[in-house]
mmCIF file of all heavy atoms in Angstrom:
data_model
loop_
_atom_site.group_PDB
_atom_site.id
_atom_site.type_symbol
_atom_site.label_atom_id
_atom_site.label_comp_id
_atom_site.label_asym_id
_atom_site.label_seq_id
_atom_site.Cartn_x
_atom_site.Cartn_y
_atom_site.Cartn_z
ATOM 1 N N VAL A 279 -14.142 26.956 9.792
ATOM 2 C CA VAL A 279 -14.978 25.952 10.439
ATOM 3 C C VAL A 279 -14.437 24.600 9.993
ATOM 4 O O VAL A 279 -14.367 24.316 8.797
ATOM 5 C CB VAL A 279 -16.455 26.110 10.037
ATOM 6 C CG1 VAL A 279 -17.264 24.907 10.510
ATOM 7 C CG2 VAL A 279 -17.035 27.390 10.622
ATOM 8 N N LEU A 280 -14.035 23.782 10.944
ATOM 9 C CA LEU A 280 -13.485 22.474 10.610
ATOM 10 C C LEU A 280 -14.602 21.440 10.536
ATOM 11 O O LEU A 280 -15.423 21.342 11.455
ATOM 12 C CB LEU A 280 -12.455 22.029 11.649
ATOM 13 C CG LEU A 280 -11.215 22.905 11.828
ATOM 14 C CD1 LEU A 280 -10.255 22.244 12.806
ATOM 15 C CD2 LEU A 280 -10.530 23.166 10.492
ATOM 16 N N VAL A 282 -14.992 17.620 10.683
ATOM 17 C CA VAL A 282 -14.246 16.409 11.030
ATOM 18 C C VAL A 282 -14.916 15.222 10.338
ATOM 19 O O VAL A 282 -16.088 14.920 10.576
ATOM 20 C CB VAL A 282 -14.206 16.187 12.554
ATOM 21 C CG1 VAL A 282 -13.402 14.940 12.887
ATOM 22 C CG2 VAL A 282 -13.597 17.411 13.245
ATOM 23 N N PHE A 284 -15.688 11.528 9.640
ATOM 24 C CA PHE A 284 -15.696 10.186 10.244
ATOM 25 C C PHE A 284 -16.001 9.110 9.201
ATOM 26 O O PHE A 284 -16.498 8.041 9.538
ATOM 27 C CB PHE A 284 -16.731 10.126 11.360
ATOM 28 C CG PHE A 284 -16.335 10.890 12.596
ATOM 29 C CD1 PHE A 284 -16.861 12.143 12.838
ATOM 30 C CD2 PHE A 284 -15.418 10.364 13.491
ATOM 31 C CE1 PHE A 284 -16.491 12.863 13.968
ATOM 32 C CE2 PHE A 284 -15.043 11.069 14.620
ATOM 33 C CZ PHE A 284 -15.570 12.325 14.856
ATOM 34 N N VAL A 312 -6.725 16.043 18.386
ATOM 35 C CA VAL A 312 -7.547 17.202 18.751
ATOM 36 C C VAL A 312 -6.667 18.436 18.955
ATOM 37 O O VAL A 312 -7.054 19.555 18.600
ATOM 38 C CB VAL A 312 -8.377 16.894 20.010
ATOM 39 C CG1 VAL A 312 -8.981 18.167 20.593
ATOM 40 C CG2 VAL A 312 -9.478 15.886 19.683
ATOM 41 N N MET A 315 -6.216 20.065 15.696
ATOM 42 C CA MET A 315 -7.433 20.757 15.263
ATOM 43 C C MET A 315 -7.552 22.105 15.970
ATOM 44 O O MET A 315 -7.801 23.136 15.327
ATOM 45 C CB MET A 315 -8.666 19.902 15.582
ATOM 46 C CG MET A 315 -8.767 18.595 14.829
ATOM 47 S SD MET A 315 -10.300 17.709 15.288
ATOM 48 C CE MET A 315 -9.963 16.089 14.615
ATOM 49 N N LEU A 316 -7.357 22.097 17.269
ATOM 50 C CA LEU A 316 -7.512 23.329 18.040
ATOM 51 C C LEU A 316 -6.408 24.333 17.722
ATOM 52 O O LEU A 316 -6.619 25.546 17.818
ATOM 53 C CB LEU A 316 -7.525 23.011 19.538
ATOM 54 C CG LEU A 316 -8.690 22.125 20.018
ATOM 55 C CD1 LEU A 316 -8.546 21.808 21.505
ATOM 56 C CD2 LEU A 316 -10.027 22.797 19.750
ATOM 57 N N PRO A 320 -9.985 27.152 15.073
ATOM 58 C CA PRO A 320 -11.243 27.123 14.312
ATOM 59 C C PRO A 320 -12.319 27.989 14.957
ATOM 60 O O PRO A 320 -12.368 28.135 16.190
ATOM 61 C CB PRO A 320 -11.634 25.643 14.362
ATOM 62 C CG PRO A 320 -11.003 25.126 15.618
ATOM 63 C CD PRO A 320 -9.705 25.872 15.754
ATOM 64 N N LYS A 321 -13.170 28.546 14.120
ATOM 65 C CA LYS A 321 -14.313 29.309 14.628
ATOM 66 C C LYS A 321 -15.373 28.362 15.184
ATOM 67 O O LYS A 321 -16.138 28.724 16.067
ATOM 68 C CB LYS A 321 -14.923 30.151 13.506
ATOM 69 C CG LYS A 321 -14.042 31.302 13.048
ATOM 70 C CD LYS A 321 -14.753 32.114 11.972
ATOM 71 C CE LYS A 321 -13.938 33.328 11.563
ATOM 72 N NZ LYS A 321 -14.614 34.119 10.497
ATOM 73 N N ALA A 322 -15.426 27.173 14.636
ATOM 74 C CA ALA A 322 -16.369 26.154 15.090
ATOM 75 C C ALA A 322 -15.920 24.821 14.526
ATOM 76 O O ALA A 322 -15.083 24.773 13.610
ATOM 77 C CB ALA A 322 -17.790 26.467 14.650
ATOM 78 N N ILE A 323 -16.476 23.737 15.051
ATOM 79 C CA ILE A 323 -16.154 22.391 14.595
ATOM 80 C C ILE A 323 -17.459 21.646 14.341
ATOM 81 O O ILE A 323 -18.384 21.699 15.154
ATOM 82 C CB ILE A 323 -15.303 21.640 15.637
ATOM 83 C CG1 ILE A 323 -13.938 22.321 15.801
ATOM 84 C CG2 ILE A 323 -15.126 20.171 15.247
ATOM 85 C CD1 ILE A 323 -13.094 21.764 16.938
ATOM 86 N N ILE A 324 -17.538 20.969 13.189
ATOM 87 C CA ILE A 324 -18.690 20.138 12.862
ATOM 88 C C ILE A 324 -18.227 18.695 12.777
ATOM 89 O O ILE A 324 -17.233 18.392 12.098
ATOM 90 C CB ILE A 324 -19.341 20.574 11.540
ATOM 91 C CG1 ILE A 324 -19.902 21.995 11.669
ATOM 92 C CG2 ILE A 324 -20.444 19.606 11.123
ATOM 93 C CD1 ILE A 324 -20.478 22.553 10.381
ATOM 94 N N LEU A 325 -18.904 17.812 13.473
ATOM 95 C CA LEU A 325 -18.592 16.384 13.447
ATOM 96 C C LEU A 325 -19.527 15.713 12.464
ATOM 97 O O LEU A 325 -20.749 15.749 12.619
ATOM 98 C CB LEU A 325 -18.763 15.779 14.843
ATOM 99 C CG LEU A 325 -18.058 16.514 15.992
ATOM 100 C CD1 LEU A 325 -18.315 15.791 17.315
ATOM 101 C CD2 LEU A 325 -16.560 16.636 15.733
ATOM 102 N N SER A 326 -18.983 15.090 11.436
ATOM 103 C CA SER A 326 -19.798 14.500 10.372
ATOM 104 C C SER A 326 -20.430 13.183 10.809
ATOM 105 O O SER A 326 -20.123 12.638 11.873
ATOM 106 C CB SER A 326 -18.942 14.252 9.126
ATOM 107 O OG SER A 326 -18.236 13.017 9.231
ATOM 108 N N LEU A 340 -12.988 10.661 19.532
ATOM 109 C CA LEU A 340 -12.337 11.958 19.698
ATOM 110 C C LEU A 340 -12.067 12.184 21.177
ATOM 111 O O LEU A 340 -12.866 11.786 22.029
ATOM 112 C CB LEU A 340 -13.224 13.097 19.177
ATOM 113 C CG LEU A 340 -13.228 13.392 17.679
ATOM 114 C CD1 LEU A 340 -14.162 14.564 17.400
ATOM 115 C CD2 LEU A 340 -11.837 13.696 17.155
ATOM 116 N N ASP A 341 -10.979 12.843 21.474
ATOM 117 C CA ASP A 341 -10.669 13.170 22.860
ATOM 118 C C ASP A 341 -11.720 14.138 23.406
ATOM 119 O O ASP A 341 -12.174 15.049 22.701
ATOM 120 C CB ASP A 341 -9.279 13.814 22.918
ATOM 121 C CG ASP A 341 -8.769 13.929 24.341
ATOM 122 O OD1 ASP A 341 -9.219 14.854 25.043
ATOM 123 O OD2 ASP A 341 -7.934 13.107 24.730
ATOM 124 N N ARG A 342 -12.093 13.940 24.642
ATOM 125 C CA ARG A 342 -13.110 14.770 25.294
ATOM 126 C C ARG A 342 -12.742 16.260 25.256
ATOM 127 O O ARG A 342 -13.601 17.139 25.304
ATOM 128 C CB ARG A 342 -13.281 14.298 26.739
ATOM 129 C CG ARG A 342 -14.399 14.981 27.510
ATOM 130 C CD ARG A 342 -14.396 14.564 28.971
ATOM 131 N NE ARG A 342 -15.447 15.248 29.724
ATOM 132 C CZ ARG A 342 -16.631 14.712 29.993
ATOM 133 N NH1 ARG A 342 -16.905 13.486 29.608
ATOM 134 N NH2 ARG A 342 -17.523 15.417 30.686
ATOM 135 N N GLU A 343 -11.448 16.532 25.142
ATOM 136 C CA GLU A 343 -10.956 17.906 25.137
ATOM 137 C C GLU A 343 -11.648 18.770 24.081
ATOM 138 O O GLU A 343 -11.809 19.976 24.265
ATOM 139 C CB GLU A 343 -9.434 17.893 24.886
ATOM 140 C CG GLU A 343 -8.795 19.265 24.833
ATOM 141 C CD GLU A 343 -7.349 19.212 24.349
ATOM 142 O OE1 GLU A 343 -6.886 18.104 24.001
ATOM 143 O OE2 GLU A 343 -6.701 20.274 24.315
ATOM 144 N N ILE A 344 -12.064 18.147 22.978
ATOM 145 C CA ILE A 344 -12.674 18.924 21.900
ATOM 146 C C ILE A 344 -13.967 19.590 22.359
ATOM 147 O O ILE A 344 -14.358 20.643 21.861
ATOM 148 C CB ILE A 344 -12.911 18.036 20.657
ATOM 149 C CG1 ILE A 344 -13.061 18.916 19.410
ATOM 150 C CG2 ILE A 344 -14.132 17.138 20.833
ATOM 151 C CD1 ILE A 344 -13.002 18.151 18.110
ATOM 152 N N PHE A 345 -14.650 18.970 23.329
ATOM 153 C CA PHE A 345 -15.907 19.523 23.831
ATOM 154 C C PHE A 345 -15.694 20.460 25.025
ATOM 155 O O PHE A 345 -16.648 21.074 25.504
ATOM 156 C CB PHE A 345 -16.847 18.391 24.245
ATOM 157 C CG PHE A 345 -17.126 17.406 23.147
ATOM 158 C CD1 PHE A 345 -16.694 16.088 23.244
ATOM 159 C CD2 PHE A 345 -17.805 17.795 22.002
ATOM 160 C CE1 PHE A 345 -16.954 15.174 22.225
ATOM 161 C CE2 PHE A 345 -18.060 16.892 20.977
ATOM 162 C CZ PHE A 345 -17.634 15.579 21.090
ATOM 163 N N GLU A 346 -14.461 20.556 25.490
ATOM 164 C CA GLU A 346 -14.175 21.363 26.678
ATOM 165 C C GLU A 346 -13.273 22.549 26.370
ATOM 166 O O GLU A 346 -12.836 23.255 27.284
ATOM 167 C CB GLU A 346 -13.534 20.478 27.751
ATOM 168 C CG GLU A 346 -14.437 19.338 28.205
ATOM 169 C CD GLU A 346 -13.738 18.356 29.131
ATOM 170 O OE1 GLU A 346 -12.481 18.352 29.147
ATOM 171 O OE2 GLU A 346 -14.433 17.605 29.842
ATOM 172 N N ALA A 347 -12.996 22.769 25.080
ATOM 173 C CA ALA A 347 -12.041 23.814 24.697
ATOM 174 C C ALA A 347 -12.699 25.170 24.478
ATOM 175 O O ALA A 347 -12.012 26.149 24.180
ATOM 176 C CB ALA A 347 -11.308 23.387 23.420
ATOM 177 N N GLY A 348 -14.026 25.223 24.605
ATOM 178 C CA GLY A 348 -14.721 26.490 24.396
ATOM 179 C C GLY A 348 -15.035 26.789 22.941
ATOM 180 O O GLY A 348 -15.578 27.850 22.622
ATOM 181 N N VAL A 349 -14.710 25.850 22.038
ATOM 182 C CA VAL A 349 -15.022 26.022 20.614
ATOM 183 C C VAL A 349 -16.418 25.452 20.355
ATOM 184 O O VAL A 349 -16.696 24.318 20.767
ATOM 185 C CB VAL A 349 -13.986 25.290 19.733
ATOM 186 C CG1 VAL A 349 -14.340 25.438 18.253
ATOM 187 C CG2 VAL A 349 -12.589 25.823 20.000
ATOM 188 N N PRO A 350 -17.316 26.186 19.691
ATOM 189 C CA PRO A 350 -18.641 25.641 19.377
ATOM 190 C C PRO A 350 -18.536 24.373 18.537
ATOM 191 O O PRO A 350 -17.749 24.316 17.587
ATOM 192 C CB PRO A 350 -19.317 26.770 18.598
ATOM 193 C CG PRO A 350 -18.599 28.014 19.025
ATOM 194 C CD PRO A 350 -17.184 27.588 19.260
ATOM 195 N N VAL A 351 -19.313 23.351 18.905
ATOM 196 C CA VAL A 351 -19.275 22.072 18.198
ATOM 197 C C VAL A 351 -20.701 21.668 17.823
ATOM 198 O O VAL A 351 -21.626 21.797 18.629
ATOM 199 C CB VAL A 351 -18.635 20.957 19.051
ATOM 200 C CG1 VAL A 351 -18.581 19.644 18.264
ATOM 201 C CG2 VAL A 351 -17.235 21.365 19.500
ATOM 202 N N PHE A 352 -20.848 21.150 16.586
ATOM 203 C CA PHE A 352 -22.146 20.678 16.092
ATOM 204 C C PHE A 352 -21.957 19.247 15.599
ATOM 205 O O PHE A 352 -21.206 18.991 14.665
ATOM 206 C CB PHE A 352 -22.617 21.581 14.952
ATOM 207 C CG PHE A 352 -24.006 21.293 14.438
ATOM 208 C CD1 PHE A 352 -24.956 20.640 15.203
ATOM 209 C CD2 PHE A 352 -24.374 21.705 13.163
ATOM 210 C CE1 PHE A 352 -26.241 20.400 14.722
ATOM 211 C CE2 PHE A 352 -25.654 21.475 12.670
ATOM 212 C CZ PHE A 352 -26.589 20.824 13.447
ATOM 213 N N GLY A 353 -22.629 18.287 16.240
ATOM 214 C CA GLY A 353 -22.535 16.888 15.833
ATOM 215 C C GLY A 353 -23.700 16.487 14.957
ATOM 216 O O GLY A 353 -24.847 16.829 15.242
ATOM 217 N N MET A 354 -23.410 15.750 13.897
ATOM 218 C CA MET A 354 -24.447 15.262 12.982
ATOM 219 C C MET A 354 -24.376 13.743 12.922
ATOM 220 O O MET A 354 -23.292 13.187 12.687
ATOM 221 C CB MET A 354 -24.247 15.825 11.575
ATOM 222 C CG MET A 354 -24.269 17.331 11.464
ATOM 223 S SD MET A 354 -23.922 17.836 9.749
ATOM 224 C CE MET A 354 -24.062 19.620 9.887
ATOM 225 N N GLY A 357 -21.533 11.888 14.559
ATOM 226 C CA GLY A 357 -20.923 12.918 15.385
ATOM 227 C C GLY A 357 -21.804 13.288 16.565
ATOM 228 O O GLY A 357 -21.315 13.595 17.659
ATOM 229 N N PHE A 358 -23.114 13.250 16.364
ATOM 230 C CA PHE A 358 -24.089 13.509 17.426
ATOM 231 C C PHE A 358 -24.013 12.423 18.491
ATOM 232 O O PHE A 358 -23.960 12.692 19.699
ATOM 233 C CB PHE A 358 -25.479 13.561 16.782
ATOM 234 C CG PHE A 358 -26.647 13.498 17.720
ATOM 235 C CD1 PHE A 358 -26.988 14.579 18.523
ATOM 236 C CD2 PHE A 358 -27.449 12.357 17.781
ATOM 237 C CE1 PHE A 358 -28.091 14.534 19.374
ATOM 238 C CE2 PHE A 358 -28.548 12.299 18.626
ATOM 239 C CZ PHE A 358 -28.867 13.386 19.429
ATOM 240 N N LEU A 360 -21.503 10.379 19.045
ATOM 241 C CA LEU A 360 -20.198 10.421 19.683
ATOM 242 C C LEU A 360 -20.171 11.500 20.772
ATOM 243 O O LEU A 360 -19.626 11.287 21.862
ATOM 244 C CB LEU A 360 -19.114 10.689 18.640
ATOM 245 C CG LEU A 360 -17.662 10.612 19.125
ATOM 246 C CD1 LEU A 360 -17.336 9.231 19.655
ATOM 247 C CD2 LEU A 360 -16.705 10.979 17.995
ATOM 248 N N MET A 361 -20.758 12.648 20.475
ATOM 249 C CA MET A 361 -20.852 13.705 21.477
ATOM 250 C C MET A 361 -21.654 13.226 22.683
ATOM 251 O O MET A 361 -21.264 13.442 23.840
ATOM 252 C CB MET A 361 -21.508 14.958 20.878
ATOM 253 C CG MET A 361 -21.578 16.137 21.836
ATOM 254 S SD MET A 361 -22.531 17.550 21.181
ATOM 255 C CE MET A 361 -21.504 18.042 19.810
ATOM 256 N N LEU A 365 -19.925 12.613 26.491
ATOM 257 C CA LEU A 365 -20.289 13.539 27.560
ATOM 258 C C LEU A 365 -21.258 12.934 28.575
ATOM 259 O O LEU A 365 -21.814 13.660 29.406
ATOM 260 C CB LEU A 365 -20.883 14.811 26.949
ATOM 261 C CG LEU A 365 -19.911 15.614 26.072
ATOM 262 C CD1 LEU A 365 -20.602 16.824 25.478
ATOM 263 C CD2 LEU A 365 -18.685 16.041 26.880
ATOM 264 N N LEU A 391 -31.115 26.195 17.468
ATOM 265 C CA LEU A 391 -31.104 25.522 16.167
ATOM 266 C C LEU A 391 -32.408 25.675 15.408
ATOM 267 O O LEU A 391 -32.410 25.796 14.173
ATOM 268 C CB LEU A 391 -30.797 24.025 16.341
ATOM 269 C CG LEU A 391 -29.413 23.621 16.836
ATOM 270 C CD1 LEU A 391 -29.291 22.100 16.873
ATOM 271 C CD2 LEU A 391 -28.309 24.214 15.954
ATOM 272 N N PHE A 416 -27.756 19.394 28.829
ATOM 273 C CA PHE A 416 -28.291 19.547 27.469
ATOM 274 C C PHE A 416 -29.818 19.541 27.510
ATOM 275 O O PHE A 416 -30.431 18.823 28.304
ATOM 276 C CB PHE A 416 -27.818 18.419 26.555
ATOM 277 C CG PHE A 416 -26.399 18.564 26.086
ATOM 278 C CD1 PHE A 416 -25.330 18.353 26.955
ATOM 279 C CD2 PHE A 416 -26.128 18.908 24.774
ATOM 280 C CE1 PHE A 416 -24.021 18.487 26.530
ATOM 281 C CE2 PHE A 416 -24.817 19.036 24.332
ATOM 282 C CZ PHE A 416 -23.769 18.825 25.208
ATOM 283 N N PHE A 430 -30.258 17.807 20.501
ATOM 284 C CA PHE A 430 -30.068 18.419 21.820
ATOM 285 C C PHE A 430 -29.172 19.641 21.691
ATOM 286 O O PHE A 430 -28.444 19.812 20.713
ATOM 287 C CB PHE A 430 -29.546 17.435 22.862
ATOM 288 C CG PHE A 430 -28.276 16.685 22.505
ATOM 289 C CD1 PHE A 430 -27.161 17.321 21.971
ATOM 290 C CD2 PHE A 430 -28.175 15.319 22.759
ATOM 291 C CE1 PHE A 430 -25.995 16.630 21.687
ATOM 292 C CE2 PHE A 430 -26.996 14.617 22.477
ATOM 293 C CZ PHE A 430 -25.915 15.281 21.941
ATOM 294 N N GLU A 431 -29.256 20.532 22.711
ATOM 295 C CA GLU A 431 -28.529 21.790 22.660
ATOM 296 C C GLU A 431 -28.054 22.187 24.057
ATOM 297 O O GLU A 431 -28.756 21.962 25.034
ATOM 298 C CB GLU A 431 -29.414 22.909 22.085
ATOM 299 C CG GLU A 431 -30.059 22.550 20.746
ATOM 300 C CD GLU A 431 -30.943 23.653 20.181
ATOM 301 O OE1 GLU A 431 -30.650 24.846 20.453
ATOM 302 O OE2 GLU A 431 -31.910 23.337 19.471
ATOM 303 N N ASN A 432 -26.862 22.758 24.089
ATOM 304 C CA ASN A 432 -26.320 23.304 25.332
ATOM 305 C C ASN A 432 -25.738 24.674 24.994
ATOM 306 O O ASN A 432 -24.603 24.796 24.538
ATOM 307 C CB ASN A 432 -25.244 22.383 25.912
ATOM 308 C CG ASN A 432 -24.746 22.841 27.274
ATOM 309 O OD1 ASN A 432 -24.674 24.036 27.548
ATOM 310 N ND2 ASN A 432 -24.386 21.888 28.128
ATOM 311 N N LYS A 435 -22.399 25.904 26.858
ATOM 312 C CA LYS A 435 -21.122 25.373 26.370
ATOM 313 C C LYS A 435 -21.009 25.428 24.846
ATOM 314 O O LYS A 435 -20.008 25.010 24.275
ATOM 315 C CB LYS A 435 -20.958 23.929 26.852
ATOM 316 C CG LYS A 435 -20.824 23.823 28.363
ATOM 317 C CD LYS A 435 -20.518 22.403 28.792
ATOM 318 C CE LYS A 435 -20.296 22.334 30.302
ATOM 319 N NZ LYS A 435 -20.002 20.940 30.752
ATOM 320 N N LYS A 436 -22.066 25.916 24.182
ATOM 321 C CA LYS A 436 -22.100 26.039 22.715
ATOM 322 C C LYS A 436 -21.886 24.681 22.032
ATOM 323 O O LYS A 436 -21.117 24.549 21.074
ATOM 324 C CB LYS A 436 -21.072 27.066 22.226
ATOM 325 C CG LYS A 436 -21.335 28.479 22.741
ATOM 326 C CD LYS A 436 -20.409 29.480 22.107
ATOM 327 C CE LYS A 436 -20.681 30.896 22.612
ATOM 328 N NZ LYS A 436 -22.060 31.344 22.324
ATOM 329 N N LEU A 437 -22.578 23.679 22.550
ATOM 330 C CA LEU A 437 -22.521 22.328 21.995
ATOM 331 C C LEU A 437 -23.912 21.951 21.499
ATOM 332 O O LEU A 437 -24.897 22.088 22.233
ATOM 333 C CB LEU A 437 -22.047 21.329 23.046
ATOM 334 C CG LEU A 437 -20.669 21.599 23.669
ATOM 335 C CD1 LEU A 437 -20.365 20.566 24.741
ATOM 336 C CD2 LEU A 437 -19.576 21.621 22.601
ATOM 337 N N TYR A 438 -23.982 21.450 20.263
ATOM 338 C CA TYR A 438 -25.266 21.170 19.631
ATOM 339 C C TYR A 438 -25.157 19.872 18.829
ATOM 340 O O TYR A 438 -24.072 19.497 18.383
ATOM 341 C CB TYR A 438 -25.665 22.314 18.693
ATOM 342 C CG TYR A 438 -25.684 23.668 19.373
ATOM 343 C CD1 TYR A 438 -24.521 24.443 19.448
ATOM 344 C CD2 TYR A 438 -26.844 24.154 19.964
ATOM 345 C CE1 TYR A 438 -24.525 25.680 20.094
ATOM 346 C CE2 TYR A 438 -26.862 25.390 20.598
ATOM 347 C CZ TYR A 438 -25.698 26.141 20.671
ATOM 348 O OH TYR A 438 -25.711 27.355 21.309
ATOM 349 N N GLY A 439 -26.284 19.205 18.642
ATOM 350 C CA GLY A 439 -26.251 17.983 17.849
ATOM 351 C C GLY A 439 -27.621 17.594 17.328
ATOM 352 O O GLY A 439 -28.641 17.886 17.966
ATOM 353 N N VAL A 440 -27.627 16.934 16.164
ATOM 354 C CA VAL A 440 -28.865 16.390 15.599
ATOM 355 C C VAL A 440 -28.574 14.978 15.088
ATOM 356 O O VAL A 440 -27.467 14.695 14.611
ATOM 357 C CB VAL A 440 -29.422 17.259 14.442
ATOM 358 C CG1 VAL A 440 -29.842 18.636 14.960
ATOM 359 C CG2 VAL A 440 -28.416 17.395 13.308
ATOM 360 N N PHE A 459 -26.771 27.274 13.684
ATOM 361 C CA PHE A 459 -25.596 26.900 14.472
ATOM 362 C C PHE A 459 -24.452 27.876 14.212
ATOM 363 O O PHE A 459 -23.809 28.376 15.150
ATOM 364 C CB PHE A 459 -25.136 25.479 14.144
ATOM 365 C CG PHE A 459 -23.741 25.193 14.631
ATOM 366 C CD1 PHE A 459 -23.478 25.067 15.998
ATOM 367 C CD2 PHE A 459 -22.676 25.099 13.747
ATOM 368 C CE1 PHE A 459 -22.185 24.833 16.466
ATOM 369 C CE2 PHE A 459 -21.379 24.869 14.198
ATOM 370 C CZ PHE A 459 -21.141 24.740 15.562
ATOM 371 N N LEU A 460 -24.182 28.164 12.929
ATOM 372 C CA LEU A 460 -23.051 29.021 12.583
ATOM 373 C C LEU A 460 -23.222 30.440 13.112
ATOM 374 O O LEU A 460 -22.315 30.999 13.733
ATOM 375 C CB LEU A 460 -22.870 29.052 11.056
ATOM 376 C CG LEU A 460 -22.511 27.721 10.387
ATOM 377 C CD1 LEU A 460 -22.599 27.858 8.873
ATOM 378 C CD2 LEU A 460 -21.118 27.259 10.796
ATOM 379 N N GLY A 463 -25.411 29.955 17.268
ATOM 380 C CA GLY A 463 -24.687 29.136 18.223
ATOM 381 C C GLY A 463 -23.216 29.503 18.328
ATOM 382 O O GLY A 463 -22.670 29.649 19.416
ATOM 383 N N ALA A 464 -22.563 29.646 17.154
ATOM 384 C CA ALA A 464 -21.126 29.917 17.144
ATOM 385 C C ALA A 464 -20.807 31.407 17.037
ATOM 386 O O ALA A 464 -19.649 31.802 17.216
ATOM 387 C CB ALA A 464 -20.462 29.154 15.994
#
Side-chain angles (χ1 to χ4, degrees):
V279 169
L280 299 185
V282 181
F284 288 101
V312 167
M315 295 181 194
L316 297 176
K321 291 182 176 179
I323 295 172
I324 296 176
L325 310 180
S326 83
L340 278 181
D341 191 282
R342 185 186 178 98
E343 179 190 3
I344 200 168
F345 304 114
E346 299 172 342
V349 178
V351 181
F352 186 23
M354 301 177 178
F358 166 73
L360 186 61
M361 183 187 294
L365 296 178
L391 293 183
F416 283 73
F430 54 46
E431 308 180 30
N432 186 326
K435 294 186 176 180
K436 298 187 179 300
L437 302 177
Y438 305 87
V440 295
F459 164 70
L460 296 170

